[in-house]
Amino acid sequence: MRLRALLETDALGLRLLGGEDELDRTVRGVMTTDLRDPSRYLSGGELVLTGLAWRRDAADSEPFVRILAGAGVAGLAAGEAELGAIPDDLVQACLRHRLPLFAVNESVAFATITEHVVRQVSGERAGDLAAVVDRHRRLMTSGPAGGGPEVVLDLLGSDLDLRAWVLSPTGRQIAGAGAPLPAELGAALAAEHLAATRTGRRGPHRAVARGTTYSLFPIRNSGRGAAPASRDVRESVLSDWLLAVEADAGDWPAARLDLLQGVTQLIAVERDRRDAARTVRRRLAQEVLELVQTGAAPAEIAARLRVAAPVLLPGLGTAPHWQVVVARVEWGEGGTGAPGIEAGPVAQSLLEEILVDPATSGPDSADRIAVAHTGDEAIALVPLPAVPDSPVTEAETEATVAAGPGAEPESEDDEKGPVIDGGAGLHADALLAAVRGPLSAGLDGDGRLTLGVSAAVHSAEGLRGALEEARHARRVAAARPGRVCAAGHHELASHVLLLPFVPDDVRRAFTARLLDPLRDYDRRHRAELIPTLEAFLDSDGSWTRCASRLHLHVNTLRYRVGRIEQLTGRDLSRLEDKLDFFLALRMS
C-alpha cells in the first residue's frame, strides 16, 4: 500500500507535517518504537510509529531521523499524546532527510493504525500470491514443471506467514514447508477433519490441538476416479487429502479464503497425478487376482508375478515372497451396507494408504504397493524382498554328514532356497496402530473397516491359499467389536478363531455362570479373586510361580483358589475346568 492511502483514511487521524512529494512510497509493514536507535529491528519499507519517549531535547531529533532514513523506512508517524504538538526540530530533521512525517491525534491508538496497515498489506500480498498460484497451477496442469505442492506451501509461508501441511486421510504428511508436523498431531488433525466431514459441514474446519488453532481445508479428488459432487460423502471421506493451516480462518476476508481454495485445487492436480501413477500397479494386481480366483495354472500366475516384481521392487535379483492383505469397508449398522455406495474403490484407496509406512512422507511413497478391488473388497499384493541363504558353516556340514545321506532338511525353507527376512513381513496389529484414531473418526456412526493379513508365500502355488487365508482372517476381524479391526494368519490356528463366532447370548451366559459369582465376591470383599484366577492360569497352575507373581504367600494363594472353586463348583486341578475359566476370561 502507499502512504497516500493512509492519509486518505479519516479513521486513522493522521495529519501530514512534511514530505508531500514522498507520499507514493510503498508501505510493507509497521513498527512501534521509542528506542533511540531502532535500526536493528528495521528492514526497510516500514511505517514507524513513535510516542517520542526517546526525545529528551532538540538535539535528539536529528540522529533519530537519520537512522530511520538510512534504514529505508517509508515514513514516520509521531503521537501527540506525550508532548502535545510535534516539536519543530523533528519536523525540520524529517524535511532535511526527505522522510514523510505524520502527526497522530491523541484520540487514535497506535494499535488502530497497526491493524489497518497489516490488514491492507496482507491483502495486497494475497493478491500477489494469488497470481503466483494461478501461474503455478497452469504449469502443473500442463506438465511436471511446476515443482509440486511444496513450492506453493513455501509461498504461503514467505508471503503470508502461514505454516501449512498437506495430510493424507490418516494424518500422514504428504507435503509441507519447514519443520515436519509431528505424527501424533497429524493424526489428531486428520481425525478432526474426518469427523467434521462426516457431519456434512463445509470446510474449512476449525481444530484446536496442543493449544494451537488450525484450519483444515479439504482437497477434493478431481481426477477420473473422483466421485460426483452429488454422491454420498462416505464415498470420498476416507480418501481425500486435506490442507492443514496453522491459523484461524474464521475471521479471514473472502479474498484470502478464495486464495486458499485455489491452493487446494492446485494440490488436487498433484493428487490426480499420483493416482495416475498408481494405475500400472493396480492393473498388475487386478490381473494376478483374476488369475488366482479363476484357478489359472501356477505357471501362468508365476509369469504375471515376474512382470510385477520389477515394477514393485526395481533392482531385485531374485523373485520375492508375497503377502496378501484383504480389506473391506462396510457402511450401515451390522454390515448391512448402504444402498448406492461403491465400497470397493473406497477400500482400495484406503488400503493403499494403510500399507504406506506412516513415517514416510511424500505423495509417491506407495510405489511398492499393488491393490485391486473386486466388489466391496480390496486386495493388496505386497512383495517382500527375499534374503539369500546364509553360508553353511563347517559345524552344520559335519552335522549333516553325521545324520546320514537320508537325513531331511532342518526346515522347509532349507529346501526352497531364500528365506523370509523376519522383520520385513506385515503384521495385522502394527498396520492399524498409527491410523486407528483418524479412521475411527471417519467411520463413526455407521462405518466399519476390517482387515486380514496372510502369511508370506514364496511361489505362485501358494498365492491362492494366501488369499483365502487373508479372507478368513478378515472374517475373524469382522466378528470383533469396534470400528477398525484387523486379524493375522497366526490367529487362524488358535482358539481365537472360534471365539468371535460364538453367539453373543451364549457368550454372555457362559461367562456370567463362571465369573459373576467371583465378581460379586470381589465387589463385596475386595478379595481380588478374578486377578488371582488370571494369574493362576497364566502360570500354568504353578503354585510357586503364581504366588511369586502376585507377591503372596502360597497358603494365601491356596485359600483364594479354594474360594474360587467353592463359589463356582469347579476344580482347578482338572484340565476341563481350567479351559472353561480360560475361555470365559477371554470372552468377557
Side-chain angles (χ1 to χ4, degrees):
M1 66 177 302
R2 309 288 181 180
L3 282 174
R4 190 180 306 279
L6 293 174
L7 193 61
E8 294 169 353
T9 305
D10 295 336
L12 299 183
L14 298 178
R15 189 173 75 259
L16 183 65
L17 301 181
E20 185 173 0
D21 295 339
E22 306 294 333
L23 291 180
D24 286 328
R25 291 186 179 186
T26 299
V27 180
R28 296 186 175 86
V30 63
M31 176 190 175
T32 300
T33 184
D34 276 313
L35 295 173
R36 295 170 65 85
D37 181 4
S39 57
R40 68 172 72 92
Y41 304 110
L42 298 171
S43 57
E46 296 92 350
L47 173 68
V48 175
L49 305 176
T50 180
L52 300 177
W54 50 267
R55 183 183 179 278
R56 293 193 296 267
D57 54 48
D60 292 334
S61 294
E62 171 64 27
F64 181 78
V65 173
R66 184 170 62 249
I67 289 171
L68 298 187
V73 304
L76 175 65
E80 295 179 324
E82 182 75 19
L83 302 178
I86 303 302
D88 186 64
D89 50 87
L90 180 60
V91 175
Q92 294 303 316
C94 287
L95 288 174
R96 284 193 296 274
H97 291 278
R98 301 177 63 83
L99 182 65
L101 176 64
F102 301 90
V104 183
N105 190 284
E106 62 181 346
S107 64
V108 178
F110 282 177
T112 301
I113 300 173
T114 299
E115 182 180 353
H116 178 83
V117 172
V118 169
R119 189 165 56 245
Q120 294 298 315
V121 170
S122 178
E124 291 186 3
R125 280 184 173 179
D128 293 340
L129 180 58
V132 173
V133 169
D134 184 65
R135 184 169 64 251
H136 198 72
R137 183 189 298 114
R138 291 196 299 271
L139 284 170
M140 289 190 69
T141 305
S142 60
E150 286 84 357
V151 175
V152 180
L153 299 184
D154 283 333
L155 287 171
L156 287 176
S158 61
D159 282 25
L160 297 185
D161 197 26
L162 292 176
R163 300 177 65 204
W165 302 265
V166 178
L167 304 178
S168 76
T170 64
R172 182 177 59 87
Q173 181 172 319
I174 293 169
L181 202 65
E184 298 81 3
L185 180 54
L189 295 178
E192 292 275 358
H193 172 73
L194 290 173
T197 303
R198 280 301 311 273
T199 65
R201 289 171 21 216
R202 296 187 63 183
H205 306 125
R206 184 177 184 272
V208 178
R210 300 185 181 181
T212 301
T213 300
Y214 296 86
S215 296
L216 311 176
F217 293 80
I219 299 172
R220 303 298 184 193
N221 184 3
S222 58
R224 288 178 295 177
S230 60
R231 298 292 291 275
D232 196 302
V233 69
R234 289 173 289 186
E235 291 197 36
S236 61
V237 66
L238 297 177
S239 57
D240 284 343
W241 290 355
L242 67 137
L243 176 67
V245 182
E246 191 180 290
D248 188 349
D251 55 357
W252 281 4
R256 180 169 287 200
L257 286 172
D258 289 344
L259 170 62
L260 267 294
Q261 294 297 345
V263 170
T264 64
Q265 294 169 13
L266 177 59
I267 296 170
V269 176
E270 180 66 27
R271 171 65 187 272
D272 296 342
R273 180 170 295 145
R274 191 287 310 261
D275 284 344
R278 284 185 171 179
T279 302
V280 174
R281 298 191 295 275
R282 287 175 171 176
R283 188 170 63 246
L284 286 171
Q286 198 74 43
E287 291 174 354
V288 173
L289 174 62
E290 290 174 359
L291 291 173
V292 170
Q293 295 193 125
T294 56
E300 188 177 358
I301 299 174
R304 298 309 301 161
L305 290 177
R306 284 194 294 272
V307 173
V311 175
L312 300 177
L313 289 173
L316 188 66
T318 59
H321 292 66
W322 305 89
Q323 271 183 289
V324 175
V325 183
V326 173
R328 190 181 182 97
V329 174
E330 296 172 310
W331 301 105
E333 290 298 337
T336 57
I341 295 182
E342 293 186 51
V346 177
Q348 180 184 42
S349 177
L350 192 55
L351 186 52
E352 287 173 335
E353 172 62 28
I354 290 172
L355 291 174
V356 177
D357 183 349
T360 303
S361 63
D364 296 321
S365 53
D367 60 352
R368 294 186 177 183
I369 298 166
V371 183
H373 74 84
T374 173
D376 292 339
E377 187 180 65
I379 301 170
L381 188 64
V382 183
L384 301 176
V387 295
D389 288 331
S390 57
V392 180
T393 65
E394 184 176 352
E396 290 169 335
T397 302
E398 291 174 356
T400 302
V401 171
E408 293 292 326
E410 277 291 295
S411 70
E412 199 175 27
D413 283 331
D414 292 334
E415 206 172 45
K416 295 173 181 175
V419 297
I420 293 294
D421 181 353
L426 300 175
H427 299 277
D429 294 336
L431 278 178
L432 296 181
V435 301
R436 193 182 301 275
L439 295 185
S440 296
L443 293 162
D444 190 32
D446 62 348
R448 290 199 76 207
L449 166 69
T450 52
L451 186 145
V453 182
S454 79
V457 295
H458 75 288
S459 66
E461 290 89 341
L463 210 52
R464 184 179 181 83
L467 175 58
E468 291 305 315
E469 191 174 58
R471 282 175 168 161
H472 281 307
R474 191 207 65 78
R475 285 192 284 271
V476 171
R480 295 172 175 168
R483 293 287 170 197
V484 181
C485 298
H489 60 90
H490 59 281
E491 299 182 55
L492 301 183
S494 167
H495 66 279
V496 178
L497 173 64
L498 303 176
L499 295 185
F501 299 100
V502 178
D504 288 343
D505 55 343
V506 175
R507 291 158 64 101
R508 284 192 295 269
F510 181 75
T511 57
R513 186 167 60 252
L514 280 175
L515 301 183
D516 278 1
L518 307 182
R519 292 188 180 116
D520 292 341
Y521 191 88
D522 281 349
R523 189 162 46 249
R524 286 184 284 110
H525 300 282
R526 299 181 181 179
E528 297 187 350
L529 295 184
I530 292 287
T532 301
L533 175 61
E534 291 175 331
F536 186 73
L537 295 176
D538 286 345
S539 301
D540 297 325
S542 168
W543 296 99
T544 53
R545 286 208 310 272
C546 184
S548 176
R549 177 173 175 174
L550 294 175
H551 305 289
L552 297 175
H553 192 277
V554 172
N555 290 340
T556 303
L557 175 61
R558 291 185 182 277
Y559 171 80
R560 288 188 183 180
V561 169
R563 179 65 67 183
I564 292 171
E565 294 174 333
Q566 178 186 7
L567 291 170
T568 61
R570 298 298 185 106
D571 182 356
L572 277 171
S573 66
R574 296 178 67 246
L575 176 62
E576 293 88 344
D577 288 342
K578 286 180 183 177
L579 181 59
D580 282 350
F581 277 123
F582 175 76
L583 292 174
L585 290 169
R586 292 300 298 265
M587 289 192 293
S588 64

